[in-house]
Amino acid sequence: MKLILSAILMLAAAPALAASDYSRGFDGSSSGDFVVFYASWCVENQVAYQDVSGQVVIRENCAKEGLTCRDVEQYRGRQYVHSAMCVQD
């Protein structure tokens, strides 16, 4: 009985889930039908990210370590995740 009730609820919720907007990312950007999320990014050869209060914070200074900041884009399902890291040239 619980299985049947669960199936009915899933069918009832399907139109609402299908109507949701997948093109807007966590940061408001979009790339067609894909979500774009920036976990971290490069700023003047430093790795930066946004904390929970919305402030941009420098995580790592690549120049200080003799490295170069690189942005890496990974595709995961329906979203692109950008993250930055210090790498050796």
Side-chain angles (χ1 to χ4, degrees):
M1 186 65 173
K2 288 183 183 179
L3 180 62
I4 294 171
L5 183 58
S6 296
I8 292 170
L9 289 174
M10 290 291 280
L11 290 174
L17 292 172
S20 64
D21 184 10
Y22 287 105
S23 65
R24 295 192 65 216
F26 299 106
D27 60 350
S29 64
S30 66
S31 175
D33 290 333
F34 299 98
V35 174
V36 179
F37 175 70
Y38 288 89
S40 58
W41 57 92
C42 295
V43 176
E44 298 177 3
N45 207 27
Q46 299 175 43
V47 177
Y49 72 100
Q50 188 173 14
D51 67 8
V52 293
S53 66
Q55 299 296 315
V56 175
V57 178
I58 301 300
R59 178 180 294 160
E60 192 172 0
N61 187 341
C62 300
K64 186 184 262 186
E65 300 171 20
L67 303 171
T68 303
C69 187
R70 285 276 157 78
D71 178 63
V72 177
E73 178 183 76
Q74 296 178 337
Y75 178 71
R76 294 184 182 171
R78 291 184 58 122
Q79 79 176 11
Y80 288 99
V81 177
H82 286 263
S83 59
M85 64 185 76
C86 296
V87 296
Q88 196 170 29
D89 278 332

